[in-house]
């Protein structure tokens, strides 16, 4: 299909898109290379946040289905995939990438409907997700062990071997991108995968699984949609899962670690963030304001690395706030299927309630709402979860709106007077996922990047951009391990050291 923006009313657009989505596939659990309903027969609805209407129903999997998926993955790993050469895995994954690219338009529509993303943004994200799978498919050919010159009487070398079955749990905000960050390296390294997508946005995961039919060996990639306690917990605590990778909020991350610990299962965790963007007095203020606004409004602020804390030098605070407010107010809020929309709804009623409760809390705590924060009525629907992008000024670093992850389009502005105070404020949170620095002084930029506790630091522009090959992950409660890079392949393999004696010929 060719992706076109819809031109009818909001209700007409989303009804048409929902009907198209239902025609793409079965959207059942994918286990052992074929579609399956949940063993219990239970289903749940995935809903369109623009109109708060169901898109379609998917199986509500539980422990029984997880067991079946893990068994299928184990069989696929032991019988075929685990012993395939890197070149064979690469060729197979690249064939799958080609199929996914042929279906990019429908995957983008599913992503837009499921999460409430503007259609053009969804297309860009789907393209990026497929790029990550392609990246790992290519670089796995060059991966291998190393020779260790530690002794004259032995040949010592290492092998990188896949774990076996990898359990992956992904969040709802970037469904296909974050799925690709996990399954790309896991499959390229030779593991089989069981994926539990977020219950709010399972559609693209289920569809790419269906699109693996006839390409990936049966059982190599399995998807079990469902809820955390019913499907996620049985997966992360399964005795036949040798590696767990989870992206989500930090409290759930604790539970995943506890669940995996019972089997001493290694984990990769990419958790929450409350990321600072430090604006020094010599910065390009217009560019800094544009960068902060772009970060906190992209995906309606539902990004773990969104720079939700602007730390601004007191000398440029007023100028920065003026330009930030202007940028925040420039968005076109509306139907995500219509051309020109740049800002969609929050993903669900629960997320809407959470974000609006923080907006009320910010006022109660004494911060000043400089712009936004109101519910938005989009013509043609009374049921979407829309809220204006908001900026709080006169905020203190100990306020809850500054310390806690809101996961919505809410920016806070805190002022500082010197470098030491800026760094102290930047690090005075439990998280350490990402940060930004705005300055025209190169030495200052490098110094601040070294002093800020964060897994990624962007200077001046391109905040939040993740590219293939650049490691991404957090400090402190933002998690452990790194994704997106070449080294990520090592996180999905175990290292084995082999010692072979070298016999000395006494006649020589």
């Amino acid at each position: 299909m060719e992706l076109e923006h819809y031109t009818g009313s909001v209700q007409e657009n989303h009804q048409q898109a929902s009907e198209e989505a239902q025609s793409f596939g079965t959207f059942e659990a994918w286990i052992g290379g074929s579609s399956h309903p949940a063993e219990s027969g239970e289903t749940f609805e995935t809903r369109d946040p623009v109109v708060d209407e169901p898109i379609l129903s998917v199986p509500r999997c539980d422990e029984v289905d997880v067991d079946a998926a893990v068994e299928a993955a184990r069989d696929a790993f032991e019988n075929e995939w685990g012993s395939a050469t890197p070149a064979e895995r690469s060729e197979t994954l690249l064939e799958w990438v080609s199929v996914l690219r042929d279906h990019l338009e429908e995957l983008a529509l599913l992503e837009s409907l499921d999460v409430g993303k503007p259609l053009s943004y969804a297309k860009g994200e789907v393209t990026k997700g497929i790029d990550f799978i392609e990246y790992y498919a290519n670089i796995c050919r060059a991966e291998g062990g190393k020779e260790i010159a530690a002794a004259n009487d032995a040949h010592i070398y290492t092998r990188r071997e896949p774990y076996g079955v990898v359990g992956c749990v992904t969040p709802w905000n970037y469904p296909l991108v974050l799925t690709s960050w996990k399954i790309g390296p896991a499959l390229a390294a030779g593991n089989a995968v069981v994926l539990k997508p977020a219950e709010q946005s399972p559609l693209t995961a289920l569809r790419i699984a269906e699109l693996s039919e006839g390409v990936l060996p049966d059982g190599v990639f399995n998807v079990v949609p469902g809820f955390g306690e019913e499907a996620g917990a049985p997966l992360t605590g399964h005795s036949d899962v040798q590696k767990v990778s989870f992206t989500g909020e930090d409290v759930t991350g604790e539970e995943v670690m506890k669940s995996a610990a019972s089997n001493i299962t290694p984990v990769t965790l990419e958790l929450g963030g409350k990321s600072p963007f430090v604006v020094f007095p010599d910065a390009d203020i217009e560019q800094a304001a544009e960068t902060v606004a772009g970060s906190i409004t992209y995906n309606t602020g539902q990004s773990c690395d969104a720079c939700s804390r602007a730390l601004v030098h007191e000398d440029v605070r007023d100028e920065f706030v003026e330009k930030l407010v202007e940028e925040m107010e420039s968005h076109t809020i509306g139907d995500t299927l219509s051309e020109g929309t740049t800002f969609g709804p929050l993903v669900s009623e629960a997320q809407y309630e959470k974000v609006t409760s923080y907006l009320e809390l910010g006022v109660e705590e004494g911060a000043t709402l400089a712009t936004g924060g109101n519910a938005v009525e989009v013509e043609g629907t009374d049921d979407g979860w829309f809220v204006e992008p908001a900026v709080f000024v006169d905020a203190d670093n100990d306020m809850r709106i500054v310390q806690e992850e809101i996961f919505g389009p809410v920016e806070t502005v805190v002022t500082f007077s010197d470098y030491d105070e800026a760094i102290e404020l930047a690090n005075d949170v439990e998280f350490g996922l990402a940060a930004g620095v705005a300055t025209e002084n190169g030495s200052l930029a490098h110094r601040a990047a070294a002093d800020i506790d964060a897994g990624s630091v962007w200077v001046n522009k391109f905040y939040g951009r993740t590219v293939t090959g650049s490691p991404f992950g957090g400090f402190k409660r933002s998690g452990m391990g790194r994704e997106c890079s070449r080294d990520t392949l090592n996180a999905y393999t175990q290292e084995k050291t082999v010692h072979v004696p070298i016999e000395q010929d006494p006649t020589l």
Side-chain angles (χ1 to χ4, degrees):
M1 61 173 286
E2 290 294 324
L3 185 63
E4 300 287 347
H5 286 93
Y6 295 71
T7 57
S9 69
V10 176
Q11 293 289 345
E12 290 172 343
N13 289 345
H14 287 260
Q15 177 64 33
Q16 178 185 344
S18 180
E19 291 172 356
E20 290 177 2
Q22 293 171 37
S23 71
F24 294 156
T26 65
F27 295 99
E28 291 189 314
W30 189 259
I31 300 174
S34 60
S35 295
H36 294 266
E39 186 66 27
S40 66
E42 295 291 323
T43 63
F44 65 95
E45 291 178 339
T46 178
R47 302 183 71 83
D48 180 343
V50 172
V51 292
D52 193 32
E53 294 289 342
I55 305 168
L56 48 80
S57 294
V58 299
R60 184 168 182 158
C61 293
D62 59 21
E63 186 171 3
V64 174
D65 306 293
V66 170
D67 286 344
V70 171
E71 182 179 359
R74 168 58 59 187
D75 289 346
F77 171 76
E78 293 179 346
N79 296 327
E80 184 171 2
W81 193 247
S83 59
T85 66
E88 289 170 337
R89 294 197 300 268
S90 175
E91 290 174 3
T92 299
L93 290 171
L94 289 174
E95 182 182 351
W96 189 34
V97 164
S98 179
V99 173
L100 296 178
R101 291 202 193 285
D102 288 342
H103 292 80
L104 188 151
E105 309 288 345
E106 69 180 60
L107 292 170
L109 179 59
L110 292 172
E111 200 90 333
S112 176
L113 287 175
D114 233 359
V115 188
K117 296 176 184 289
L119 199 51
S120 58
Y121 293 12
K123 184 176 181 179
E125 290 173 21
V126 168
T127 300
K128 185 176 182 181
I130 298 172
D131 287 346
F132 272 103
I133 299 174
E134 182 179 48
Y135 168 73
Y136 286 109
N138 283 317
I139 67 170
C140 75
R141 289 174 176 263
E143 292 303 297
K146 59 183 180 288
E147 184 176 357
I148 302 171
N152 292 325
D153 60 351
H155 176 211
I156 306 172
Y157 64 94
T158 65
R159 292 168 49 88
R160 303 297 314 191
E161 298 182 355
Y163 280 103
V165 179
V166 174
C168 300
V169 180
T170 53
W172 47 260
N173 54 335
Y174 295 100
L176 189 56
V177 168
L178 298 182
T179 291
S180 72
W181 286 11
K182 299 183 186 306
I183 67 172
L187 295 174
N191 302 282
V193 169
V194 179
L195 170 70
K196 205 295 282 185
E199 59 269 21
Q200 297 91 339
S201 57
L203 299 184
T204 48
L206 292 168
R207 184 59 182 142
I208 66 170
E210 291 187 48
L211 292 172
S212 73
E213 185 175 13
V215 181
L216 298 182
D218 294 348
V220 166
F221 180 44
N222 308 272
V223 182
V224 284
F227 291 77
E229 292 185 1
E230 298 169 358
L235 177 60
T236 58
H238 203 288
S239 59
D240 285 333
V241 169
Q242 284 78 45
K243 163 75 179 180
V244 168
S245 184
F246 170 81
T247 297
E249 51 93 24
D250 59 315
V251 176
T252 306
E254 289 182 28
E255 296 304 314
V256 170
M257 286 189 73
K258 293 175 184 176
S259 180
S262 62
N263 298 304
I264 319 295
T265 305
V267 297
T268 296
L269 301 175
E270 197 268 278
L271 308 178
K274 194 67 178 176
S275 302
F277 192 94
V278 184
V279 182
F280 289 105
D282 69 323
D284 181 330
I285 301 303
E286 184 171 355
Q287 182 185 87
E290 181 180 341
T291 299
V292 170
S295 169
I296 198 62
T297 57
Y298 189 86
N299 206 41
T300 323
Q302 298 167 129
S303 302
C304 54
D305 60 353
C307 54
S308 54
R309 296 187 298 139
L311 309 178
V312 185
H313 192 276
E314 58 191 10
D315 289 350
V316 294
R317 181 265 193 193
D318 291 347
E319 180 185 0
F320 175 83
V321 169
E322 180 182 356
K323 294 187 181 300
L324 176 63
V325 168
E326 181 180 332
E327 289 290 334
M328 297 285 271
E329 293 177 347
S330 68
H331 280 281
T332 301
I333 304 172
D335 181 8
T336 52
L337 298 179
S338 295
E339 188 173 6
T341 295
T342 62
F343 192 86
L346 294 161
V347 73
S348 64
E349 180 179 9
Q351 193 63 21
Y352 177 86
E353 295 294 340
K354 177 184 177 182
V355 171
T356 53
S357 70
Y358 273 103
L359 290 166
E360 295 171 359
L361 177 63
V363 174
E364 293 172 5
E365 288 185 308
T368 302
L369 192 58
T371 188
N374 297 308
V376 177
E377 291 187 5
V378 172
E379 185 177 355
T381 178
D382 298 325
D383 299 317
W385 306 114
F386 293 89
V387 64
E388 293 174 330
V391 175
F392 279 108
V393 296
D394 305 323
D396 294 326
N397 209 57
D398 58 354
M399 290 179 176
R400 286 180 59 193
I401 59 167
V402 182
Q403 289 289 319
E404 299 176 9
E405 187 177 38
I406 299 173
F407 224 62
V410 182
E411 185 65 43
T412 59
V413 178
V414 177
T415 58
F416 66 88
S417 59
D418 58 34
Y419 177 86
D420 289 340
E421 184 183 11
I423 300 303
E424 180 181 357
L425 290 170
N427 292 336
D428 186 25
V429 288
E430 294 184 316
F431 300 102
L433 185 58
V437 175
T439 177
E440 297 298 296
N441 184 323
S443 296
L444 179 60
H446 288 293
R447 179 186 175 193
D451 288 341
I452 294 173
D453 296 333
S456 296
V457 180
W458 286 272
V459 177
N460 291 331
K461 295 194 297 183
F462 305 128
Y463 183 95
R465 184 175 68 167
T466 52
V467 298
T468 55
S470 62
F472 184 80
F475 289 9
K476 300 188 285 190
R477 287 187 67 84
S478 289
M480 61 179 68
R482 294 295 181 266
E483 298 183 296
C484 303
S485 73
R486 187 186 194 105
D487 289 343
T488 305
L489 280 173
N490 288 342
Y492 290 94
T493 59
Q494 305 178 86
E495 188 171 45
K496 176 185 289 183
T497 305
V498 180
H499 303 255
V500 181
I502 299 176
E503 298 296 336
Q504 301 294 324
D505 187 339
T507 66
L508 297 179

